[in-house]
Amino acid sequence: DKISNPTIIRESLHSKTYNITKNQYLGDIKYKLLDDCGRITLLEAGAGVGKTEMVKSLVNDGKKCIMVMPFTSTIKAKVENDPNWSFSYGNKRPRLDAEHGLSMTIDKFSHLNMMDIKAAGFDYIFIDESHLLFQSEYRPVMPKVIDMIRNTEVPIILMSGTPSGELAFFSDAVH
């Protein structure tokens, strides 16, 4: 009855709102956003405001980031040809010794050890299109990924324009 955003199941206890102009993108306010991030953060932003480009910009600034993407085609289109990024999908294993950015599919991420990620010095983990984690095709890896998110010391930013189960599973997330 008290939910103000009908697209989410549960309101966050820790909400932040940022406004950008029609000529701005999330990359323009990335450090302000990161200053307010918690250990788990849900970044709800619509299509075309630059969620993926913000992560790429952080990597260009020298941050070491993992970006989990749901589709091989997205990795190919967004980061595969960028020299600052390593990537993993199909038969290619994730390399935690990547210098800057490491992008992978959700299934590849589900096989990683969170302590190894921390030891490798990653600053952030971004999960793009995080609402897809709660769809039936990801059920085989969903419990493992949810457990990984809950138990990491590396800040995780879930990114979605249409969040679904994020706040139901991560009630302490900054949103």
Side-chain angles (χ1 to χ4, degrees), residues 24-31 33 49-51 53-54 57:
Q24 283 185 309
Y25 295 95
L26 291 178
D28 297 325
I29 61 168
K30 63 188 171 201
Y31 289 109
L33 287 170
V49 296
K51 295 182 290 290
E53 293 302 315
M54 176 189 73
S57 174

Side-chain angles (χ1 to χ4, degrees), residues 26-169:
L26 291 178
D28 297 325
I29 61 168
K30 63 188 171 201
Y31 289 109
K32 184 175 179 137
L33 287 170
L34 292 176
D35 284 344
D36 287 333
C37 282
R39 191 177 55 76
I40 302 172
T41 301
L42 171 59
L43 176 57
E44 180 181 353
V49 296
K51 295 182 290 290
T52 304
E53 293 302 315
M54 176 189 73
V55 179
K56 290 173 64 176
S57 174
L58 287 168
V59 168
N60 289 340
D61 290 351
K63 296 292 183 188
K64 192 168 178 179
C65 301
I66 291 176
M67 184 161 45
V68 181
M69 302 177 118
F71 308 112
T72 301
S73 60
T74 310
I75 294 172
K76 287 180 177 181
K78 299 283 187 172
V79 300
E80 189 172 73
N81 294 318
D82 188 325
N84 287 327
W85 285 86
S86 297
F87 54 90
S88 173
Y89 58 81
N91 292 326
K92 187 168 180 173
R93 295 177 55 130
R95 293 192 48 190
L96 295 181
D97 62 349
E99 289 186 34
H100 300 292
L102 173 60
S103 184
M104 67 191 75
T105 53
I106 293 170
D107 62 313
K108 294 292 184 186
F109 180 69
S110 72
H111 294 292
L112 296 179
N113 177 297
M114 296 310 279
M115 295 307 292
D116 291 342
I117 291 172
K118 181 183 178 194
F122 283 94
D123 298 302
Y124 301 99
I125 300 168
F126 292 87
I127 300 182
D128 197 17
E129 306 295 349
S130 59
H131 60 278
L132 295 177
L133 276 174
F134 308 98
Q135 293 186 349
S136 61
E137 53 264 33
Y138 292 103
R139 288 237 170 83
V141 297
M142 186 177 89
K144 170 76 170 147
V145 173
I146 287 171
D147 187 56
M148 292 170 71
I149 293 169
R150 285 186 176 146
N151 294 303
T152 184
E153 294 180 31
V154 178
I156 293 199
I157 294 95
L158 306 167
M159 301 189 303
S160 177
T162 55
S164 56
E166 289 91 332
L167 295 175
F169 284 90

